[in-house]
Amino acid sequence: MNTSTGQRILAKKAPLWLLAFNMGCGTLGITIISPTLGLVTDFFSVDEATGQWVLSAYFASIAVSQIFYGPLSDRFGRKIPLLSGLALYGLGGFMGALAPSIETLIAARVIQGLGGGSIISIIRAIINDSFERLEAAGAFALVSGIMVVVPIFSFISGGVVGELIGWQGTMLVVGLSGCISMALNYFFLQETNLYKLEKLDPRGLLKNYLSLLGIRDFNAFMFATACNSGIFFSLIGFLPFEFARRGLSSMEFGFWFALSPFGYMVGNFLTRFFVKNLGIEKMTLGGSILSLVSMLSLLGVSYLEWMHPIWIAFPSMIYGISAGLVIGNASMGAIYAAGNLAGSASGVLGSVQMGFGVLSGGLVVMAGGYQDYSQGVLILIGFSVVSVICSLMAGKQKTANVF
């Protein structure tokens, strides 16, 4: 800290294109396999609920690993843990491409997630190292808005690759992306953690985590973004099967659902342009309300029996806009509320987000959402309501004017 001014010293700004590439790499592991879930279940002759574990295993391992990457990046810096995680991520991709059984594929997805957890957790911390609060929210939104090209591309290309060479091709793409990202970060990323911890103290880490859970604004922002994220992770799990019931291929699902990440891009650019005037709290609340509207629209489509895919794709795009408003703003609001525990806070935040992906996916399975799409949407409406409530609980934080 700068003792004369009481303000922290910011690190040299990391290249936004590199941060966007990293985030896109992590998102690729989530999205590119989604259009081919039907192909995976057919290939291994397993049911839809078992196929869900191809996604849930990835979410669960990311959720666990982020708890550790945050403190590791506080102690050893951001770069070394990130490079190590990218190596694991790439290895898991190549293992998945060669998987001879569903169990091996799920294990490969666990390894991917153990590596992918470094991306989501550490990139947030790097942004926090380099930017002040409102500027950080804008930078995060810009990075997310750029990297959203990846899920648009991967939903479409995942379906195309699946139809042409099989689901194994999607795992090969994940492995290659991990290797490329690792090389780029080795050469172009400078260390941004200027306040490394002197040592890792397990008791201290537990104390830090308990301290985070006692910060109201951190929890309010965290659960707002976790509920919103959980909706997306559930949609990419059960919607491919609904599209199949409507007679559409995995390629067609990838094309139509690509509107959702397009909406996410729009939401992030709205954040970029309006967060300075409206503030993080209002942007988060507006996005949460829009998420609820989009889920109610999806339920209405089911009851009205409108069969054209546009009636699912358009509300999904509206949800994407809401996610662009909520995730970036609430994430940076939560990390800022954590003060000098930014790395640990980013790890906990990412862990809870992915944990809610597992939770929402499990609840959708229990409710029969893979067989009756409307039952799955009802679960997601509940998540939207919780997101709105948490957004209302977030208090306005005092921030120095950095512009």
Side-chain angles (χ1 to χ4, degrees), residues 116-192:
S118 68
I119 302 171
I120 300 171
S121 174
I122 294 176
I123 295 306
R124 288 197 193 97
I126 289 174
I127 292 174
N128 186 73
D129 293 337
S130 306
F131 300 90
E132 289 292 355
R133 180 179 180 255
L134 289 181
E135 192 180 12
F140 188 86
L142 180 60
V143 167
S144 298
I146 295 172
M147 73 87 183
V148 83
V149 174
V150 173
I152 292 174
F153 168 78
S154 60
F155 275 124
I156 297 173
S157 64
V160 173
V161 170
E163 293 288 336
L164 294 179
I165 64 175
W167 60 266
Q168 295 91 337
T170 63
M171 292 291 93
L172 181 61
V173 172
V174 170
L176 291 173
S177 69
C179 292
I180 293 171
S181 186
M182 183 170 61
L184 290 175
N185 281 280
Y186 179 81
F187 288 108
F188 296 107
L189 180 65
Q190 297 184 17
E191 181 56 56
T192 63

Side-chain angles (χ1 to χ4, degrees), residues 5 11 15 17 25 36 84 94 105-107 114 137 151 174 177 183 219 239 258 267 286-287 355 381-382:
T5 64
W17 66 266
C25 184
T36 65
S84 301
F94 293 127
L105 176 58
I106 291 172
L114 291 175
V174 170
S177 69
N219 285 279
L239 280 188
I381 288 174

Side-chain angles (χ1 to χ4, degrees), residues 23 30 58-73 113-124 209 233 342-355:
M23 292 287 282
I30 299 172
Y58 185 79
F59 299 153
S61 58
I62 283 184
V64 172
S65 65
Q66 286 189 83
I67 296 176
F68 299 99
Y69 280 117
L72 286 173
S73 73
L114 291 175
S118 68
I119 302 171
I120 300 171
S121 174
I122 294 176
I123 295 306
R124 288 197 193 97
Y209 289 139
F233 298 143
S344 298
S346 183
V348 171
L349 176 65
S351 178
V352 172
Q353 284 177 327
M354 289 298 170

Side-chain angles (χ1 to χ4, degrees), residues 367-392:
Y370 278 72
Q371 292 74 40
D372 183 352
Y373 135 92
S374 63
Q375 297 302 309
V377 175
L378 283 172
I379 296 295
L380 303 187
I381 288 174
F383 275 71
S384 295
V385 171
V386 175
S387 182
V388 171
I389 293 172
C390 291
S391 299
L392 289 169

Side-chain angles (χ1 to χ4, degrees), residues 260-274:
S260 179
F262 174 77
Y264 185 66
M265 179 173 63
V266 172
N268 275 289
F269 278 108
L270 289 174
T271 293
R272 177 71 175 173
F273 290 116
F274 293 108

Side-chain angles (χ1 to χ4, degrees), residues 256-264 266 290 294 312-323:
W256 285 108
F257 196 70
L259 288 176
S260 179
F262 174 77
Y264 185 66
V266 172
L290 191 60
S294 67
I312 294 179
F314 184 72
S316 297
M317 183 182 72
I318 300 302
Y319 160 72
I321 295 174
S322 80

